[in-house]
Structure formats: structure tokens, C-alpha cells
Amino acid sequence: MNVEIMQAHILLIGIQPNLVTCLTTQLCQQGYRVSFLSPTVPLLKIQQLRPDLLIMSLQTAGNLDLESCRCLSSAMKKTPIMLLGNASSQEQIESLNICANDYLSVPFAIEEFLARVRAKVRRVGWEKADEVFTFEDLWLNVQTHEVFCNSQKVELTAKEFDLLKYFMMHPQQVLTHQQILDTVWPDTFLTNNTNILHVYIRYLRRKLEAAGHLIQTVRGVGYILKGEHGVTSS
């Protein structure tokens, strides 16, 4: 099982008891560490637990009153928040604009819930990545958002940079279409929608010019960053 998943801590806040039991069982089976707190617990206590993902009921924030969610989002900027509930479309949009990273309507399919959780957890681990990666003639600096190929700076869009970063974090590994979509497009629930990925791979290869061949297609599966000399990070 993925080590990244095994280390992930998911905190459930204010979820109804029957749903807590179901979600805890499913999440633990996937290798996550799960905790549950009531919505009245002090913010400091939540911060001390250092969760990788917060899952809250929208009712926790008092439906239209999203103050609790707003406080958590402000205090824990690097921790994604997923809201569960049955709010109207407008209320869902408001929650996403104010504090949440994702909203899932109840009832929901457990497969969709787990897919969204995986996407958020991958994103957290991804953002904790080392600052500098090198592979063959490629050099990528996470902090400065710079990419060089053969010592020449390459201008990439934000999404092209994210895509290359994911490949350089996992060199010589076959990455499936869905793994890439879940990580590089975490806030868009794309299932087997490979068109956008193919387009960005083409853009990225073109901009990398001579190094574009390093991103190789694994037919029917995904892509791999592959070369002769390997990878280092510092």
C-alpha cells in the first residue's frame, strides 16, 4: 500500500455518528489514520492533531453560517477541507468560495468519496515535496517556480509546471492517467477523462524541446518520465 496514504491523518468533525462509523471503516481499510472530534472542540486542539485532511458536515458550520469552516481554513491554510451535506447549489458555491476545497452531497457513492479523499491526500503530500528536483537535463525549483532544460530557462504555465513537477517527483515510475488527473487537477473530479491530460502532455513536450522525449507514453495506462541517468533531489 502507498506509504503516502499510510501516513495520512484524516480528521472528521461534526459528522453524524452513523456516517462516522461508515466513513471510519472505509478510510481505515484504505490505510488512513482517522480521528473524530465534535464541532465544539477548540481550534487549538484541531491544530495540534495536524491532520492532512479535514472532513466536516456543512451543518457543523450552521448551514449558511460558515464561520467555523472559515476559521479552520484561515488557521490551517495548508490543510484541505471537504464538506459533506445536502445544501443547495448556491450554498455549495458559497462554501467553496469562502473556505472549502471540496463539497460532496449526501448521500454519495463511497467510491467517489474515496477518490476525492485520495486526490486531496496526494495534493498535501505533493506540496510537501523537496524544493529542487533534477532529472537528466531538467532542473525544477518548487520554491521559485523555475524550470531549466540544458541550462536554458523554460517558461511554463502553472498547470504545465504542476504536471512536470509530478513527473519529477516520481521518475522512472509509470503514472496512470487517473493518478495524474487526481493530483494535478485535484479540485476537478475527472474520471477517465484523458483528453485534457493528453493536451497538456503535448504542450509540455513541445516546450521542453529536446527533453520532451523523456515523457514517454505507456499505451493504455499512462505516462513515465524515463531516461538513462536517473534522478536526484536536494
Side-chain angles (χ1 to χ4, degrees):
M1 188 173 292
N2 191 303
V3 174
E4 200 172 82
I5 290 179
M6 288 290 292
Q7 295 175 342
H9 178 203
I10 298 175
L11 180 58
L12 307 178
I13 300 179
I15 309 295
Q16 294 185 351
N18 59 333
L19 187 55
V20 166
T21 300
C22 173
L23 296 185
T24 299
T25 299
Q26 293 291 334
L27 291 169
C28 288
Q29 287 177 353
Q30 297 297 312
Y32 298 106
R33 183 162 56 94
V34 183
S35 300
F36 171 77
L37 292 176
S38 81
T40 59
V41 169
L43 176 60
L44 180 60
K45 173 66 174 178
I46 298 174
Q47 290 177 296
Q48 289 174 339
L49 290 175
R50 300 174 62 84
D52 296 294
L53 172 63
L54 287 170
I55 300 178
M56 302 173 62
S57 167
L58 184 60
Q59 286 71 28
T60 298
N63 289 326
L64 291 177
D65 179 9
L66 294 167
E67 190 57 32
S68 297
C69 182
R70 190 202 307 268
C71 289
L72 285 170
S73 177
S74 177
M76 306 174 69
K77 296 184 184 298
K78 294 186 177 181
T79 304
I81 298 176
M82 179 190 294
L83 292 180
L84 307 179
N86 51 13
S88 67
S89 296
Q90 185 56 44
E91 290 170 336
Q92 292 184 35
I93 292 171
E94 184 177 352
S95 70
L96 291 169
N97 286 336
I98 292 176
C99 59
N101 302 94
D102 198 2
Y103 186 101
L104 187 57
S105 295
V106 178
F108 50 80
I110 195 64
E111 292 82 7
E112 179 179 356
F113 168 77
L114 292 174
R116 289 176 183 241
V117 167
R118 281 194 295 272
K120 297 295 178 292
V121 168
R122 284 196 192 102
R123 184 73 180 192
V124 170
W126 186 49
E127 290 177 346
K128 294 177 180 177
D130 291 337
E131 186 173 293
V132 175
F133 290 90
T134 62
F135 186 90
E136 298 284 332
D137 295 321
L138 294 174
W139 183 92
L140 180 147
N141 188 309
V142 176
Q143 187 66 32
T144 63
H145 221 264
E146 291 179 311
V147 172
F148 286 83
C149 179
N150 293 320
S151 300
Q152 298 296 314
K153 189 172 183 179
V154 181
E155 297 294 339
L156 299 180
T157 66
K159 196 58 68 176
E160 290 164 353
F161 181 90
D162 288 349
L163 183 57
L164 180 60
K165 174 185 170 184
Y166 188 48
F167 279 122
M168 294 186 73
M169 285 181 62
H170 302 279
Q172 312 281 19
Q173 297 179 35
V174 176
L175 302 174
T176 68
H177 296 127
Q178 196 59 49
Q179 283 178 317
I180 300 171
L181 290 170
D182 286 347
T183 303
V184 181
W185 285 268
D187 297 321
T188 305
F189 189 61
L190 301 173
T191 303
N192 298 321
N193 184 348
T194 58
N195 290 337
I196 189 171
L197 177 56
H198 294 332
V199 169
Y200 272 89
I201 289 289
R202 187 165 66 250
Y203 291 161
L204 188 55
R205 282 171 171 164
R206 185 182 304 152
K207 289 189 176 182
L208 294 179
E209 298 181 345
H213 73 282
L214 296 174
I215 302 175
Q216 301 180 18
T217 301
V218 181
R219 191 173 301 277
V221 180
Y223 297 92
I224 183 173
L225 184 67
K226 190 174 182 181
E228 297 180 358
H229 305 305
V231 65
T232 61
S233 63
S234 59

